[in-house]
Amino acid sequence: MTCRASMTKSKLFWPILLLILAVIAFFAYRLISLNAIPVFVDEAIYVRWSQVMRTEATLRFIPLSDGKQPLFMWITIPFLKFFSDPLIAGRMVSVAAGVGSMVALFLVSQILFENIILSSLASLIYAILPFSVFFDRMALADSLLSMFGLWSIYFSVLFAKTKRLDHAMILGFFIGGGLITKSPAIIYYFWTLLAVIFFGKINFSKKEQIKSLFFGAVAIVLISQGINSILRLGPGFSQIASRNQDYVFSWREVLQHPFNPLTGNLKSTVSWLWLLFTPSIFITALLGFLDKKRIKQALFILLVSLAPLIAQAFIAKVYTSRYILYASIPLIILSSLGIYWLLQRKGVIIKALGVISLLIPVIVSAIYVIDPLKAPMSYDMRNGYLEEWTAGWGNKEIAQYLIAEESAGNKVVVFTEGYFGTMPDGLQIYTEGHKNITVVGSPPDVRRIPEGLLNSAKTNKNYLVVNQSRDHLSPADLAKLTLIKEFPKPTRIDGTHETLQFFELK
């Protein structure tokens, strides 16, 4: 008995150690300096919607007006009660979704390989991977979509193996959750079909099996589509399909130019995976196929990822790295398989390669957290989240200035460039609840001082906030303004930089 207990303890030592490291790394990378990157345009919109929906229950479906599913914003509402900084509240939703993804990765790996060390490795890789680290720290719906995807994979495989109705019903709930998060969740149905093909072991001569699969499939569709139908309660449900056309080509258009945008999008996909998975984790994912005993499971995971990646590359008009997060994260399972294969080889050097492959993402993710300006980001990420008008450098500081003016007994009126996005939503999220501060949007290209600002009561403190690239004011108009402060944004590749300007009307 003593010998058996000691053997059990020795078998559990490494998985327990890996899981402890995964938990520590996960929360360290997600919670330290969570506001190091300023509010991003879509974050500002989502958090502002959440604030509006929290205040006015009749507007709970307001995201549908822009063709967006509202689940992320709904979940953000209770977080606003616990965090004074609204941006942190939104980002904590993604942190929570990341916890769900890490647990789901462990379970998916376990049901596929029945090896607790492999499963623990998958969770550790998720915790340290730059791709997941970055987007688990942003108030965007992509981490939540990824979480629903991973749980859908787990219950798809579980249902394929057991053919139990309760497993099918739970799967329906996860697919439904994905559908009211973002439209790409439609691919989860295909993942379910793949799981049945790979792991169903269907005997067509057994009517019970066929009946179980049929009723299971009906339950999956009815429950998931029932959840999706909740969105029909909102007046803007039709906007989802309409706005999707702004992001994707129709299949008729794709057939007319099959290699455009396919070729360019596939190149972007590979470059994003190389950077955001880091070269070591990307390469170890390929090594996963060297384990011939697990080739079936590896092929399943590869198809799970390739199906949406290739489909999106065919049809995407707008293509950024976060759009492939949900499809890329399952590849972590292949990476864990590849690293495990290296660690199982004889020879210190080969084993060391397995350890080094984990250290590289540890270092890169630390840079993302501590000094994101120096992180090896893809062009679309650096451009969008750090450098352009979409990056909200200075928003919080301007809001604090306005709140101080209000505290001094002043009524404050602020006009911003743009009606939607970083401006004015990026200011409104920080001034929410301050009744004597009014933030108003105006045309994005500022060619004259907004009439509303000029007509505002002279007893008010009147301000204008505009990005320098959109400031086309005449010298006469500029003479009416006093520049309070400028907020330079990080330097672009060409050496130029955007600047947020904060003016007071004289």
Side-chain angles (χ1 to χ4, degrees):
M1 290 293 290
T2 305
C3 180
R4 184 178 297 175
S6 62
M7 287 176 64
T8 302
K9 288 180 180 179
S10 64
K11 287 181 179 180
L12 291 176
F13 173 78
W14 286 110
I16 290 174
L17 177 62
L18 290 171
L19 287 174
I20 290 172
L21 290 174
V23 171
I24 293 172
F26 179 90
F27 287 107
Y29 282 136
R30 270 70 175 181
L31 299 181
I32 293 173
S33 301
L34 189 53
N35 58 356
I37 292 177
V39 62
F40 173 64
V41 54
D42 287 356
E43 290 184 297
I45 295 168
Y46 297 169
V47 173
R48 184 61 188 148
W49 279 339
S50 299
Q51 289 176 327
V52 170
M53 289 189 288
R54 180 189 179 192
T55 303
E56 181 51 67
T58 60
L59 296 176
R60 292 286 162 85
F61 290 94
I62 192 173
L64 293 176
S65 63
D66 190 45
K68 301 292 192 298
Q69 291 87 342
L71 183 60
F72 178 86
M73 302 79 175
W74 288 346
I75 297 174
T76 301
I77 293 173
F79 281 78
L80 291 169
K81 297 179 182 180
F82 297 104
F83 297 93
S84 58
D85 187 323
L87 181 61
I88 296 296
R91 289 179 174 179
M92 285 301 296
V93 176
S94 291
V95 172
V99 174
S101 292
M102 187 168 66
V103 174
L105 264 176
F106 179 91
L107 293 175
V108 172
S109 302
Q110 189 63 20
I111 199 172
L112 290 178
F113 304 122
E114 298 181 353
N115 185 309
I116 195 169
I117 294 179
L118 261 173
S119 304
S120 304
L121 263 175
S123 294
L124 177 60
I125 293 171
Y126 182 86
I128 63 175
L129 192 71
F131 208 169
S132 54
V133 167
F134 185 86
F135 288 108
D136 283 352
R137 293 167 58 87
M138 301 297 288
L140 300 168
D142 302 273
S143 283
L144 187 62
L145 179 69
S146 181
M147 184 203 75
F148 280 119
L150 290 169
W151 281 102
S152 295
I153 295 170
Y154 173 70
F155 279 100
S156 291
V157 176
L158 190 61
F159 168 64
K161 289 185 173 184
T162 65
K163 301 172 184 64
R164 284 173 45 176
L165 184 60
D166 55 341
H167 293 156
M169 292 170 69
I170 297 172
L171 173 58
F173 282 107
F174 280 111
I175 294 177
L179 290 173
I180 61 173
T181 301
K182 287 191 81 171
S183 296
I186 194 74
I187 197 70
Y188 300 168
Y189 290 119
F190 178 71
W191 289 355
T192 301
L193 178 62
L194 270 182
V196 171
I197 292 171
F198 271 78
F199 307 108
K201 295 182 180 178
I202 304 170
N203 187 339
F204 289 97
S205 63
K206 293 185 177 180
K207 293 182 179 179
E208 282 299 316
Q209 280 195 6
I210 305 302
K211 188 187 296 185
S212 297
L213 278 173
F214 174 77
F215 285 112
V218 170
I220 292 167
V221 173
L222 287 179
I223 292 173
S224 59
Q225 287 301 314
I227 292 172
N228 191 44
S229 294
I230 293 171
L231 302 185
R232 295 181 182 275
L233 298 173
F237 178 74
S238 62
Q239 286 296 312
I240 295 176
S242 176
R243 287 287 282 138
N244 282 345
Q245 301 307 310
D246 296 335
Y247 294 93
V248 298
F249 292 104
S250 67
W251 285 109
R252 181 177 295 178
E253 292 174 305
V254 170
L255 292 174
Q256 289 174 354
H257 45 77
F259 297 104
N260 180 26
L262 175 65
T263 305
N265 285 346
L266 285 178
K267 289 179 180 178
S268 296
T269 299
V270 174
S271 67
W272 291 333
L273 291 175
W274 183 260
L275 272 175
L276 297 171
F277 261 60
T278 70
S280 63
I281 300 299
F282 182 82
I283 292 170
T284 52
L286 302 177
L287 295 180
F289 285 91
L290 295 177
D291 190 337
K292 295 180 181 178
K293 294 179 181 179
R294 299 180 173 94
I295 197 75
K296 177 181 175 182
Q297 296 93 325
L299 183 59
F300 168 71
I301 290 298
L302 181 65
L303 291 176
V304 160
S305 283
L306 281 184
L309 289 176
I310 293 175
Q312 285 188 141
F314 262 114
I315 65 175
K317 292 180 185 177
V318 180
Y319 202 48
T320 66
S321 52
R322 67 186 171 104
Y323 294 164
I324 69 166
L325 178 71
Y326 78 99
S328 304
I329 290 300
L331 293 174
I332 288 175
I333 296 171
L334 292 183
S335 299
S336 67
L337 186 58
I339 292 172
Y340 185 73
W341 182 86
L342 286 173
L343 296 175
Q344 293 290 99
R345 301 305 97 195
K346 294 180 180 179
V348 176
I349 295 177
I350 296 179
K351 290 180 185 292
L353 288 174
V355 176
I356 292 170
S357 63
L358 290 172
L359 291 178
I360 292 174
V362 166
I363 295 168
V364 174
S365 289
I367 299 172
Y368 269 87
V369 172
I370 298 168
D371 192 356
L373 298 183
K374 295 180 180 177
M377 291 185 188
S378 60
Y379 173 79
D380 74 291
M381 291 174 65
R382 184 171 182 84
N383 188 259
Y385 300 110
L386 301 178
E387 296 173 352
E388 294 300 330
W389 63 269
T390 49
W393 297 101
N395 284 29
K396 188 173 184 180
E397 291 81 358
I398 292 173
Q400 290 169 342
Y401 183 99
L402 300 175
I403 291 169
E405 288 292 337
E406 182 200 36
S407 299
N410 298 304
K411 288 189 175 181
V412 177
V413 175
V414 188
F415 273 70
T416 73
E417 60 160 80
Y419 296 105
F420 196 53
T422 314
M423 294 289 166
D425 296 306
L427 275 182
Q428 289 172 336
I429 64 171
Y430 290 116
T431 57
E432 166 72 10
H434 293 271
K435 296 182 180 180
N436 287 324
I437 299 177
T438 303
V439 182
V440 185
S442 64
D445 282 323
V446 182
R447 300 189 179 276
R448 60 184 180 178
I449 297 175
E451 288 293 328
L453 186 61
L454 291 172
N455 295 332
S456 180
K458 296 185 185 299
T459 54
N460 296 338
K461 301 285 281 186
N462 300 310
Y463 302 95
L464 175 66
V465 182
V466 57
N467 280 290
Q468 191 173 42
S469 64
R470 297 180 171 191
D471 179 354
H472 306 295
L473 293 170
S474 66
D477 275 342
L478 286 172
K480 299 175 185 178
L481 301 170
T482 299
L483 181 63
I484 298 175
K485 192 168 184 181
E486 290 186 322
F487 299 90
K489 302 185 182 184
T491 305
R492 304 184 183 103
I493 294 175
D494 62 5
T496 63
H497 65 78
E498 180 67 274
T499 299
L500 185 68
Q501 299 173 317
F502 181 34
F503 294 103
E504 182 177 2
L505 183 66
K506 292 180 182 179

